[in-house]
């Protein structure tokens, strides 16, 4: 993947390769918000903000669903050079207004 900083936000871009196709994913990371943008086999644009319930949609091979999340916590970490090194967030997921569960996503970055 690629990491870059533009206009006060960090961007992580990578491609998810699946057997049926690929999805281009971008994470836009700010101190108080993470935006996940996916295009391809899966299409989604969703914002995660601690303490706020946000709405969006998710379209994949199984069809489209309305998606809400209630973000419980979010951590943005930096390395000794000040570059983004990790993002971790926990949220309750609702699909078509029904709670599916609580999830924790962790994205850790390493220099190569």
């Amino acid at each position: 993947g690629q990491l870059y900083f533009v206009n006060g936000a960090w961007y992580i871009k990578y491609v998810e390769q699946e057997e049926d196709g690929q999805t281009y994913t971008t994470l836009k990371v700010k101190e108080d918000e993470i935006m996940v943008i996916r295009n391809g086999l899966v299409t989604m644009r969703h914002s995660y903000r601690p303490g706020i319930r946000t709405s969006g949609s998710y379209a994949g091979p199984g069809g489209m669903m309305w998606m809400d999340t209630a973000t419980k916590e979010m951590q943005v970490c930096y390395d000794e050079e000040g570059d983004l090194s990790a993002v971790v967030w926990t949220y309750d997921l609702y699909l078509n207004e029904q709670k599916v569960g609580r999830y924790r996503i962790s994205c850790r970055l390493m220099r190569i």
Side-chain angles (χ1 to χ4, degrees):
Q2 300 173 325
L3 171 69
Y4 55 95
F5 186 78
V6 176
N7 295 327
W10 288 96
Y11 291 84
I12 304 167
K13 292 184 126 190
Y14 60 94
V15 177
E16 298 174 51
Q17 187 64 49
E18 303 270 340
E19 188 174 298
D20 297 336
Q22 55 190 12
T23 300
Y24 297 90
T25 302
T26 301
L27 275 67
K28 179 181 178 182
V29 180
K30 296 164 58 174
E31 289 300 319
D32 63 345
E33 178 182 29
I34 298 168
M35 172 77 70
V36 178
I37 304 161
R38 299 170 80 194
N39 291 295
L41 188 61
V42 170
T43 300
M44 142 186 174
R45 182 181 183 98
H46 197 80
S47 174
Y48 300 84
R49 299 183 69 201
I52 298 173
R53 188 164 169 162
T54 54
S55 299
S57 63
Y58 173 95
M64 188 173 120
M65 292 180 277
W66 295 108
M67 179 175 136
D68 292 317
T69 58
T71 304
K72 301 300 178 187
E73 63 180 88
M74 185 176 105
Q75 293 177 298
V76 179
C77 304
Y78 302 92
D79 65 16
E80 60 280 347
E81 295 177 25
D83 291 334
L84 184 68
S85 63
V87 180
V88 180
W89 70 103
T90 304
Y91 61 93
D92 289 336
L93 174 63
Y94 300 82
L95 294 175
N96 295 330
E97 299 184 19
Q98 182 175 347
K99 185 174 179 180
V100 176
R102 180 167 286 179
Y103 295 88
R104 181 174 184 86
I105 295 183
S106 177
C107 178
R108 303 200 188 283
L109 305 161
M110 296 185 310
R111 294 179 195 274
I112 55 170

